[in-house]
């Protein structure tokens, strides 16, 4: 999606990874956030989770490309001629051909008759002037009808191509490798316009380690803050802290998993301290957090909620089935 996504500030996004080996650490950053001119201010556009954006865009492309009716609706500008009656047009052309043939015969007869009476070229031209004008009108009508018939036959070809593309997309799009997806997006001349910021939780583009832990563990999340009884179950598993700091860290970690909010927001809303993040990292590393969750297995739990990682956006492209079905015969015909 690098170069295909446009930010609210008008710059394009580029893909960046925090580390090559860290899964989920890929994101897209607006080029306005890293201006080449040190005197320019950062635009402040949100970073976007790369996996979420790519999955969302490809799902959109697959849904459109797999539905021939949607494709035809998108391609309405060049398929927009209502399904014409090609038979009626062909009959019209045949009728005009007969009229033209008859008119040519009439002109020939007038020329012969005029030549017998007078050898003057001006006299012959005057006698056939009206007939020649009518002949030109008939020829113009025939040319127009022929153009319409050709356009309708071209529309039929496009329609067949769209149906074939939909069939291909249903079979091959879902399992396409990233390189193949990139080729399809290039053919579609895809453009993604970001129209607003990423929702509060993941603006930084860094994956939430707490949510990642629950996702890997496949466990539910405590639905509420700990009761005194529940705290008593896990307190022996944890280090002692001053003035309830450790207990607030536990509640803050669960709250973060439920909401996906950033640590600064979680700390502000739960009353925890900055130790909450450090506590989680240490407890996740040494197995303490696994033991805490096992001890709280009877506590009411909620599933890990889907997190809104994406900003509002508009996805546009060009639908050219012949280019996608036959890349070697790519044309520029298409529509948004």
């Amino acid at each position: 999606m690098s170069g295909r996504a446009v930010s609210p500030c008008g710059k394009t996004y580029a893909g960046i990874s925090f580390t090559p080996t860290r899964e989920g650490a890929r994101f897209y950053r607006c080029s306005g956030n890293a201006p080449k001119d040190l005197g320019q201010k950062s635009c402040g556009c949100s970073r976007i989770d790369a996996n979420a954006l790519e999955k969302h865009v490809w799902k959109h492309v697959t849904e459109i490309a797999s539905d021939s009716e949607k494709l035809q609706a998108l391609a309405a500008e060049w398929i927009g001629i209502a399904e014409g009656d090609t038979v009626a047009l062909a009959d019209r052309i045949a009728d005009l051909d007969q009229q033209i043939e008859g008119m040519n015969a009439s002109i020939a007869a007038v020329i012969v008759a005029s030549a017998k009476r007078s050898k003057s070229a001006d006299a012959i031209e005057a006698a056939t002037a009206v007939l020649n004008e009518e002949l030109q009108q008939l020829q113009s009508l025939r040319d127009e009808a022929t153009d319409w018939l050709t356009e309708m036959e071209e529309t039929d070809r496009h329609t067949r191509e769209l149906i074939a593309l939909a069939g291909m997309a249903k079979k091959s799009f879902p399992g396409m490798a990233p390189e193949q997806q990139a080729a399809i997006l290039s053919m579609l001349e895809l453009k993604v316009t970001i129209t607003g910021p990423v929702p509060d939780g993941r603006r930084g583009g860094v994956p939430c380690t707490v949510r990642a832990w629950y996702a890997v563990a496949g466990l539910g999340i405590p639905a509420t803050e700990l009761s005194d009884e529940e705290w008593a179950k896990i307190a022996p598993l944890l280090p002692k802290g001053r003035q309830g700091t450790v207990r607030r860290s536990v509640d803050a970690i669960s709250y973060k998993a439920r909401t996906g909010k950033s640590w600064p927001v979680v700390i502000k809303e739960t009353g925890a301290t900055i130790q909450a993040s450090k506590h989680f990292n240490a407890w996740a590393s040494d197995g303490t957090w696994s033991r805490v969750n096992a001890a709280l297995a009877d506590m009411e739990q909620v599933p890990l909620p889907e997190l809104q990682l994406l900003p509002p956006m508009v996805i546009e492209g060009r639908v050219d089935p012949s280019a996608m079905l036959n890349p070697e015969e790519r044309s520029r015909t298409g529509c948004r």
Side-chain angles (χ1 to χ4, degrees):
M1 296 302 303
S2 291
R4 298 191 180 281
V6 181
S7 73
C9 75
K11 304 289 186 179
T12 57
Y13 282 86
I16 295 179
S17 295
F18 283 112
T19 63
T21 58
R22 183 176 170 186
E23 185 178 355
R26 298 171 52 248
F27 65 97
Y28 287 95
R29 182 179 65 185
C30 175
S31 58
N33 263 322
K36 295 180 180 179
D37 186 350
L38 297 179
Q40 293 181 341
K41 292 183 178 181
S42 172
C43 64
C45 293
S46 306
R47 292 175 176 177
I48 304 175
D49 182 271
N51 291 332
L53 178 62
E54 291 162 3
K55 181 179 179 181
H56 175 74
V57 171
W58 188 246
K59 179 182 178 183
H60 176 84
V61 170
T62 300
E63 287 176 351
I64 296 297
S66 300
D67 190 325
S68 59
E69 292 184 2
K70 287 184 179 180
L71 284 176
Q72 291 187 51
L74 283 176
E77 288 184 12
W78 48 264
I79 292 193
I81 309 171
E83 293 183 3
D85 189 347
T86 55
V87 175
L89 269 177
D91 290 343
R92 172 65 171 159
I93 292 171
D95 178 61
L96 287 168
D97 283 340
Q98 289 182 355
Q99 293 184 55
I100 290 170
E101 184 179 355
M103 186 62 66
N104 280 323
S106 297
I107 291 172
V110 170
I111 291 174
V112 171
S114 298
K116 289 180 178 180
R117 292 194 299 270
S118 172
K119 294 183 179 180
S120 169
D122 290 340
I124 294 174
E125 182 178 351
T128 59
V130 175
L131 294 177
N132 278 319
E133 184 176 340
E134 292 181 5
L135 176 62
Q136 289 178 1
Q137 291 176 353
L138 288 172
Q139 188 63 55
S140 178
L141 290 172
R142 187 193 186 283
D143 291 343
E144 183 179 345
T146 301
D147 290 342
W148 272 98
L149 181 60
T150 300
E151 192 165 351
M152 287 185 175
E153 289 173 345
E154 184 71 3
T155 294
D156 290 340
R157 182 181 70 82
H158 280 308
T159 301
R160 291 192 297 273
E161 287 178 342
L162 288 170
I163 293 173
L165 174 59
M168 181 194 78
K170 287 179 182 178
K171 294 179 181 179
S172 60
F173 274 30
M176 273 192 176
E179 297 78 10
Q180 294 172 306
Q181 292 182 15
I184 293 295
L185 297 183
S186 177
M187 288 181 183
L188 290 174
E189 299 180 23
L190 195 81
K191 177 184 177 182
V192 178
T193 303
I194 307 301
T195 59
V198 173
D200 177 65
R202 306 297 340 134
R203 292 190 183 185
V206 184
C208 174
T209 55
V210 178
R211 287 177 55 85
W213 186 93
Y214 277 98
V216 172
L219 297 177
I221 305 165
T224 61
E225 292 184 354
L226 296 172
S227 65
D228 290 342
E229 181 180 353
E230 289 159 347
W231 169 246
K233 289 182 179 180
I234 65 171
L237 304 174
L238 299 167
K240 298 185 181 297
R242 294 181 180 179
Q243 300 177 346
T245 300
V246 174
R247 180 171 176 173
R248 287 197 298 273
S249 289
V250 174
D251 284 330
I253 293 168
S254 297
Y255 182 78
K256 181 169 175 57
R258 289 195 302 269
T259 64
K261 294 183 178 181
S262 63
W263 275 118
V265 175
V266 169
I267 291 169
K268 180 179 179 180
E269 294 182 357
T270 63
T273 69
I274 58 174
Q275 284 294 108
S277 174
K278 297 179 180 179
H279 279 151
F280 173 75
N281 292 333
W283 298 341
S285 297
D286 65 14
T288 297
W289 196 243
S290 294
R291 292 188 290 273
V292 166
N293 279 269
L296 297 174
D298 295 335
M299 185 179 178
E300 181 184 357
Q301 298 179 348
V302 295
L304 186 68
E306 286 291 329
L307 188 61
Q308 179 54 263
L309 298 174
L310 298 176
M313 67 185 72
V314 176
I315 302 173
E316 299 172 297
R318 303 178 69 86
V319 180
D320 184 353
S322 62
M324 297 176 73
L325 292 168
N326 306 293
E328 69 280 0
E329 299 177 3
R330 184 176 184 183
S331 73
R332 298 294 297 179
T333 305
C335 78
R336 286 189 181 277

